């Protein structure tokens, strides 16, 4: 019994024994002193930090802080003693100080450990810390140590910056603490080294050669500005060089693109999204170095476009203005105005791609201002062309180099597809708003009434100059010239019975029968254009649905001026159209494509001016239809001297369609021009048809 009693007593004592509680604060302080003592006592300052217990001690300190916070939350208590110690004893600031002291190889090794510690403290501790001076001051110091040349801790630096931006995203008010004493460079560049601030470090990291680092840095900037309050945008604008740095980076990347690039390759440049960026070194690029430069430029452009789209309005506007001033005006414009034709060609093609890949309204607005200016008054022939670039670009549509003309026409076609009413207004509408193109007798007269009066002779009413021209007499539209032409109602498309349909037939009947080839090649009739025209008209109408255009013609009380001027842009296009029988096939396609694009817009004045064959023009004026009539007159004269013209035209059409091998044919430029002319007239007829009122179709 005595033995049993002793055993019971021992068991009871064991049950009552408790493991002594670990004092978190003592453990935290012990780990911290272990780190500081290492720097006090060590004699081997070249010993790598990873071979010491410093990384382990920092990990233990982090775990203690996280565990303490969890316990405090359960007990609904405020800051725990370990966190108080970290703040009061400036632990984080001391770590930055140790990190900043050159000590052989320890600098990089300790930086890695400190970055990991700071990152995890800010991400795992739920309590807001960045508004506390003993936290945001060391964070600022650590930021200044990031983004240095030849850094071996870029990955950790980018992660650290991302966590800081995530904190700012949750509480935008702490941004002012991070940006405090942010250095601002009026003209950032390669000499802007020294102590880097928050924004400078982020933009520097976006230039890394490691793809994940770049992605993290870019995502950090997106976190910082996307959906931020206007106050945050204003703070970034006033206290950081964000706008200048973004623009400078775009300038640097643009300058790396050489003029030796093939413009056809540039024209095929696909949309590049910044999230898909893989910034390889030049020597590592699987394609040509030049291609890599182009890709990196368009990635950064897409990134800037994304930031401008989602940034606060005040910041978005300034970003776009900065790109306008630093990049477009400072870098792009001199390239567009240079004397080298090869350089002009490459940079015009680049500009066309830039317009295609620009989506933010603010940046698009600055691009339009850069290219076209802000004039809203009607143009005059005697204008001094104060906007040099606009004048030069329009002139390039009629350049001696066909390649430059095609590239510039493509640029304007890209612009005409952008959702901004200022483009069409600047290029054409401002010259048509007062209807000075029409004679006073046509003011207030509807199209149906004008068509009814013209039905007897089927001759479009033109200016006196046009009527006196022997090429445009009634014989041009006589039955002998157009006998056998199928009326619209007999063609395989919806019948048109109202008088308005005469405008459709007018375009279809322009090309003389002996110059037509559609009837000899299956699948090339007018009806093939109707479906495409309907689709494009629907897209164009959706584009300008909110532009506030009138539904009907506005009859101005003003008398037309002595001489109507269609404006520089339409003037050049009509001139080009007038030479359709002498120009290369590819150039003709581009000229007619731009004119078709303009004709699709549903503005009543534009429709009347371009698609009403019965419009009575003011003296000296010309319209799209009258320009075509002049071309037809020239065509009729020239084909008289070409034997067997119909067979040759059919052969050329089949060649262009790939149905026959190419062979040498006389007058090939003229014959191809006739093919384009016929197709263009069919396309205009289709556009005129789909723009008719529904009941007229």
């Amino acid at each position: 019994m005595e033995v049993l009693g002793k055993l019971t007593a021992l068991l009871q004592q064991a049950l009552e024994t408790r493991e002594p509680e670990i004092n978190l604060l003592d453990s935290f302080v012990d780990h911290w002193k272990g780190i500081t003592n290492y720097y006090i006592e060590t004699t081997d300052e070249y010993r790598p930090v990873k071979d010491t217990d410093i990384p382990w001690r920092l990990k233990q300190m982090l775990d203690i802080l996280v565990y303490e916070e969890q316990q405090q939350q359960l007990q609904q208590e405020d800051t725990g003693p370990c966190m108080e110690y970290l703040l009061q004893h400036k632990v984080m600031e001391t770590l930055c100080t140790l990190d900043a002291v050159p000590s052989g190889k320890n600098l990089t090794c300790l930086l890695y450990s400190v970055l990991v510690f700071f990152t995890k403290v800010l991400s795992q501790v739920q309590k807001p810390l960045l508004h506390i001076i003993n936290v945001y001051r060391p964070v600022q110091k650590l930021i200044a140590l990031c983004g240095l040349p030849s850094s071996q801790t870029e990955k950790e630096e980018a992660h650290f910056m991302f966590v800081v931006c995530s904190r700012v995203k949750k509480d935008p008010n702490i941004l002012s603490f991070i940006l405090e004493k942010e250095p601002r460079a009026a003209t950032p560049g390669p000499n802007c080294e020294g102590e880097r601030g928050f924004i400078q470090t982020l933009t520097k990291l976006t230039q890394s050669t490691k793809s994940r680092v770049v992605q993290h840095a870019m995502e950090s900037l997106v976190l910082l500005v996307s959906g931020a309050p206007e106050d945050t945008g204003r703070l970034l604008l006033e206290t950081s060089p964000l706008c200048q740095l973004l623009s400078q980076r775009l300038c640097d990347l643009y300058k790396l693109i050489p003029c030796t690039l093939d413009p056809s390759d540039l024209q095929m440049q696909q949309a590049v999204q910044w999230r898909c960026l893989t910034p390889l070194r030049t020597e590592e690029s699987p394609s040509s170095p030049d291609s890599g430069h182009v890709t990196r430029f368009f990635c950064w452009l897409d990134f800037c476009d994304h930031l401008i789209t989602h940034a606060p309005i005040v910041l978005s506007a300034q970003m776009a203005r900065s790109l306008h001033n630093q990049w477009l005006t400072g870098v792009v414009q001199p390239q567009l105005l240079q004397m080298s034709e090869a350089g002009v060609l490459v940079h015009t093609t680049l500009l066309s791609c830039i317009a295609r890949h620009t989506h933010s309204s603010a940046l698009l607005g600055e691009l339009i201002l850069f290219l076209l200016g802000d004039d809203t008054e009607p143009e005059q022939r005697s204008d001094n062309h104060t906007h040099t670039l606009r004048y030069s670009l329009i002139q390039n549509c009629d350049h001696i180099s066909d390649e430059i003309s095609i590239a510039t026409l493509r640029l304007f076609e890209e612009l005409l597809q952008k959702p901004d009413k200022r483009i069409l207004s600047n290029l054409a509408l401002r010259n048509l708003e007062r209807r000075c193109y029409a004679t006073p007798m046509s003011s207030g007269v509807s199209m149906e009434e004008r068509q009814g009066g013209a039905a007897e002779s089927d001759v479009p009413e033109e200016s006196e100059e046009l009527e006196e021209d022997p090429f445009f007499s009634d014989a041009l539209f006589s039955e002998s010239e157009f006998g056998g032409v199928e009326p619209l109602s007999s063609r395989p498309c919806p019948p048109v019975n109202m008088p308005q349909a005469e405008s459709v037939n007018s375009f279809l009947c322009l090309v003389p029968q002996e110059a037509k080839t559609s009837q000899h090649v299956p699948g090339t009739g007018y009806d093939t254009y109707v479906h495409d025209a309907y689709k494009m008209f629907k897209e164009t109408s959706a584009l300008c649905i909110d532009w506030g255009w009138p539904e009907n013609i506005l009859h101005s009380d003003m008398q037309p001026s002595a001489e109507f001027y269609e404006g520089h842009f339409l003037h050049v296009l009509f001139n080009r159209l007038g030479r359709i029988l002498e120009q290369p096939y590819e150039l003709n396609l581009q000229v007619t494509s731009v004119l078709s694009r303009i004709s699709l817009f549903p503005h009543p004045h534009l429709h009347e001016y371009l698609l009403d064959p019965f419009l009575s023009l003011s003296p000296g004026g010309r319209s799209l239809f009258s320009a075509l009539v002049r071309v037809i007159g020239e065509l009729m004269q020239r084909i008289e001297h070409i034997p067997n013209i119909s067979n040759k035209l059919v052969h050329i059409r089949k060649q262009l369609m790939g149905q026959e091998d190419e062979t040498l044919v006389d007058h090939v430029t003229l014959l191809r021009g006739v093919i384009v002319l016929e197709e263009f007239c069919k396309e205009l007829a289709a556009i005129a048809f789909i723009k008719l009122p529904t009941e007229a179709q």
Side-chain angles (χ1 to χ4, degrees), residues 107-109 111-112 115 142 145-158 196 201 204-205 208-210 213 281:
L107 178 61
T108 299
C109 296
L111 178 59
Y112 172 88
L115 283 167
L142 189 56
L145 295 173
C146 297
L148 297 176
S150 304
S151 172
Q152 298 179 21
T153 57
E154 282 187 332
K155 181 180 177 181
E156 290 71 32
E157 293 168 17
R196 289 191 179 89
T201 298
K204 190 66 177 179
L205 288 171
S208 170
T209 57
K210 300 173 185 177
V213 171
R281 296 181 187 271

Side-chain angles (χ1 to χ4, degrees), residues 20-147:
E21 292 186 2
I22 299 175
N23 189 303
L24 293 179
L25 179 58
D26 290 345
S27 180
F28 187 85
V29 172
D30 180 66
H31 286 303
W32 174 236
K33 288 184 177 180
I35 294 173
T36 55
N37 287 339
Y38 168 80
Y39 279 91
I40 295 173
E41 299 172 358
T42 185
T43 57
D44 184 7
E45 59 182 30
Y46 286 94
R47 184 183 180 189
V49 170
K50 66 179 182 179
D51 293 342
T52 69
D53 63 354
I54 292 178
W56 175 78
R57 290 188 180 279
L58 287 173
K59 176 67 168 56
Q60 297 304 308
M61 292 171 64
L62 173 68
D63 291 342
I64 291 173
L65 290 172
V66 173
Y67 177 79
E68 180 187 69
E69 184 181 50
Q70 292 172 349
Q71 297 303 310
Q72 298 297 120
Q73 289 175 347
L74 291 175
Q75 300 172 17
Q76 298 183 346
E77 295 179 1
D78 202 1
T79 307
C82 297
M83 179 60 72
E84 290 286 357
Y85 183 91
L86 179 134
L87 298 176
Q88 291 178 7
H89 290 78
K90 301 182 179 181
V91 171
M92 299 179 77
E93 187 158 359
T94 303
L95 282 172
C96 284
T97 303
L98 293 174
D99 195 25
V101 175
S103 55
K105 297 179 181 179
N106 281 343
L107 178 61
T108 299
C109 296
L110 183 58
L111 178 59
Y112 172 88
S113 299
V114 172
L115 283 167
V116 171
F117 179 74
F118 272 52
T119 300
K120 291 185 175 181
V121 167
L122 294 176
S123 61
Q124 295 184 22
V125 174
Q126 301 302 310
K127 177 183 174 63
L129 297 173
L130 280 173
H131 64 287
I132 302 172
I133 189 170
N134 286 341
V135 176
Y136 72 76
R137 286 291 193 207
V139 165
Q140 287 179 330
K141 290 183 178 180
L142 189 56
I143 288 172
L145 295 173
C146 297

Side-chain angles (χ1 to χ4, degrees), residues 320-340:
R321 278 193 294 270
S322 181
L323 287 174
H324 182 169
N325 296 331
Q326 287 183 239
W327 170 51
L328 292 174
T329 301
V331 178
V332 178
Q333 181 164 312
Q335 300 297 333
L336 295 171
L337 299 177
Q338 64 177 298
M339 299 301 295
S340 168

Side-chain angles (χ1 to χ4, degrees), residues 604-618:
H605 294 183
L606 197 63
H607 177 86
E608 178 186 42
Y609 180 63
L610 296 179
L611 296 177
D612 182 1
F614 307 100
L615 176 66
S616 179
L617 290 168
S618 62

